[in-house]
Amino acid sequence: MKLNKQGLADKAKWEAAGYALPAFDREKVTAATYENPFWIHFGAGNIFRAFQANVVQNLLNEGVLDRGLVVAEGFDYEIIEKMNRPHDDYSILVTLKADGNVEKTVVGSVVESHTLDSENDGEFSRLKEIFTKDSLQMASFTITEKGYSLVTGKGDLIPDVAADFEAGPDKPKSYIGKVASLLYTRFKAGEKPIAMVSMDNCSHNGDKLYAAISAFADKWTENNLADAGFKAYVNDKSKVSFPWSMIDKITPRPDASVEEILKKDGVEELEPVITSKRTYVAPFVNAEECEYLVIEDAFPNGRPELEKGGLMFTERETVDKVEKMKVCTCLNPLHTCLAVFGCILGYEKISEEMKDPELKKLVEVVGYQEGLPVVINPGILDPKEFIDTVLNVRVPNPFMPDTPQRIATDTSQKLAIRFGETIKAYQASPELDVKSLKLIPLVFAGWLRYLMGINDAGEKFDLSPDPLLDTVCPYVSGLKLGGTVDAEALKPVLENAKIFGVNLYEVGMADTVVGYLNEMIAGVGAVRETLKKYV
């Protein structure tokens, strides 16, 4: 049983092994998509394969859609070269349910894949062709929050971005520069309308994408490298929209236990690939059953009936409320709590942490007591029920092989959104007092303790990737187990509003964080003792 067109020709064998197969004419769909693509997605990672691609597959199966997806990968070309193409763009979705059931689906809705490589004339020409098509309604993105940043951790322009600003749209080197170049192609083809939809897990994601794209439009027109009308086109919401969205589905790294299930079924060539950019990809993706995607309904060129696949379309204000509910209170902050302390306490699975009384109480207090009072109910999803599902079903799911190490990735980019917004809401409230927040500053102290790279048993561990490690780690280099905190040395970090969302000195939280950190570095086992004391 090989995962490719030839291997899937023996449908009976796959179905006998319990796999749901595409129920549509893939050749017909591929041809229709090539001629009239309606949706191109940037970012060929797990969330796309487990969520958007599966939604489109379900709608193809039901006859709601007659065309599939085009995917482009701009960060790591090896995903396309070593995973998509050898498997004819098929992948396997393994849905791990909290009740122990496993659902296996062969997803074939992706019918065309490309590398976002401006140096490859064949690849880039086809992407340009796609962007000239009248039929194209949406370009969506899951490229992570840092994918939209045009500057380094120190605030300097990324060299490729600076070069693209000067060189123009012909052969950009930076990710967003290439996307802006494709959008410029669409502009030159007749200012055709399109929705540019960020589906990344970050606050006001559409604004981040707009800011990045518009920076290129501004620079290129300013430097006479693009037609003057391009800037107006990018800023005309009737031509180009940048909707906000809120996405939520846990899709951890492909797990060896899931690989074993598929091997026993007889599926061949399942070995994961670790690319030269250290991306870990496999022919399968494992994911939880819960999924939410709420999108601002702003599509200048129309859109398909994706609500029939479970996506929710609404106005911007509601997306904002849902996004803040999830990102700032009901899920993401709880994940960060578990990630930071899970790494320090030696956990390798998030689900196992929910059996730890201190960690379970920590996330319950941060969610229900500190966060929930400032959440505005968006109406389409209830915040209390959302947290209930997170803490009682989703995170404790023993079949979800998610790790604190994965979730700890890019923590410096997440703290401002996941906790800073709650602090700001407390500041703005006449009824609430920032000083009443006890466990959010404990998490901040935990992150600083985590940056030491020493676990609670006194052993070294590897920090997860983070663009600010080189910036912040020197400030904690003086911390030693059994020592004390030099508050003055930490001050540049504690007053950095880009990291925490607020200046911790200005909100009166810095001394509390330093106090907690002092207790956490008292010696081996001090993190556990601190949690017991305050949680």
Side-chain angles (χ1 to χ4, degrees), residues 46-66:
N46 290 342
I47 184 71
F48 165 72
R49 293 164 64 198
F51 196 168
Q52 292 93 333
N54 192 48
V55 166
V56 171
Q57 165 131 322
N58 290 336
L59 295 176
L60 283 166
N61 288 343
E62 294 164 15
V64 175
L65 294 177
D66 60 0

Side-chain angles (χ1 to χ4, degrees), residues 87 126 154 199 211 218-219 268 363 372 390 479 497 501 513:
H87 296 285
R126 173 56 183 159
K154 295 180 179 178
M199 295 179 175
D218 291 351
K219 283 293 181 183
E268 302 170 52
V363 290
L372 207 53
V390 167
L479 297 179
V513 172

Side-chain angles (χ1 to χ4, degrees), residues 128-419:
K128 284 184 172 181
E129 182 185 3
I130 289 168
F131 266 77
T132 65
K133 295 282 189 177
D134 291 343
S135 58
L136 187 64
Q137 296 174 311
M138 166 169 47
S140 59
F141 301 79
T142 49
I143 60 175
T144 75
E145 183 170 0
K146 63 185 176 184
Y148 305 104
S149 179
L150 306 185
V151 297
T152 65
K154 295 180 179 178
D156 302 319
L157 273 181
I158 294 168
D160 281 352
V161 172
D164 289 348
F165 281 172
E166 297 300 321
D170 288 344
K171 282 196 172 181
K173 297 178 179 179
S174 65
Y175 200 126
I176 296 295
K178 294 170 193 174
V179 173
S181 173
L182 295 173
L183 191 57
Y184 183 57
T185 300
R186 190 163 183 79
F187 161 76
K188 289 197 295 182
E191 300 189 28
K192 295 176 180 178
I194 189 171
M196 305 290 284
V197 189
S198 170
M199 295 179 175
D200 270 300
N201 178 17
C202 55
S203 179
H204 300 173
N205 46 20
D207 287 355
K208 287 179 168 59
L209 177 58
Y210 165 75
I213 295 286
S214 64
F216 280 91
D218 291 351
K219 283 293 181 183
W220 287 345
T221 53
E222 181 185 308
N223 294 335
N224 296 315
L225 297 165
D227 295 348
F230 182 48
K231 181 176 177 179
Y233 171 70
V234 169
N235 285 281
D236 184 346
K237 292 179 182 176
S238 70
K239 299 277 180 66
V240 184
S241 67
F242 295 88
W244 292 2
S245 71
M246 188 289 292
I247 192 167
D248 185 17
K249 185 177 181 74
I250 300 172
T251 54
R253 182 169 124 162
D255 189 76
S257 64
V258 176
E259 184 181 337
E260 283 305 309
I261 293 171
L262 305 187
K263 277 183 179 175
K264 286 177 183 174
D265 290 338
V267 183
E268 302 170 52
E269 298 174 355
L270 285 167
E271 292 73 22
V273 170
I274 300 175
T275 71
S276 57
K277 289 196 172 182
R278 304 195 63 76
T279 307
Y280 189 101
V281 288
F284 65 93
V285 54
N286 33 244
E288 66 171 341
E289 60 193 293
C290 294
E291 59 187 26
Y292 307 87
L293 181 49
V294 184
I295 306 173
E296 177 188 353
D297 203 354
F299 289 77
N301 201 28
R303 63 169 177 80
E305 295 179 287
L306 298 175
E307 62 271 25
K308 291 185 176 178
L311 306 193
M312 292 174 268
F313 293 88
T314 184
E315 65 280 352
R316 172 170 284 209
E317 291 73 21
T318 301
V319 177
D320 190 36
K321 290 174 185 175
V322 173
E323 182 265 324
K324 282 182 177 173
M325 177 198 81
K326 177 243 177 181
V327 174
C328 305
T329 308
C330 297
L331 173 66
N332 295 22
L334 313 184
H335 260 163
T336 293
C337 294
L338 294 172
V340 168
F341 285 107
C343 291
I344 299 171
L345 295 175
Y347 282 100
E348 294 183 354
K349 280 193 175 183
I350 285 286
S351 57
E352 287 297 311
E353 292 187 65
M354 292 304 287
K355 298 174 185 175
D356 184 310
E358 281 82 46
L359 296 182
K360 185 172 186 289
K361 185 70 182 301
L362 171 68
V363 290
E364 287 173 349
V365 173
V366 170
Y368 292 119
Q369 294 180 29
E370 297 194 343
L372 207 53
V374 294
V375 171
I376 298 171
N377 191 327
I380 57 175
L381 292 170
D382 179 79
K384 167 72 165 53
E385 290 177 8
F386 195 93
I387 297 182
D388 288 344
T389 303
V390 167
L391 295 183
N392 299 322
V393 178
R394 300 177 66 186
V395 179
N397 184 342
F399 302 99
M400 281 302 297
D402 212 351
T403 68
Q405 291 75 22
R406 183 190 79 87
I407 296 172
T409 300
D410 302 336
T411 300
S412 72
Q413 310 295 290
K414 299 170 178 176
L415 295 172
I417 302 300
R418 300 186 176 192
F419 301 101

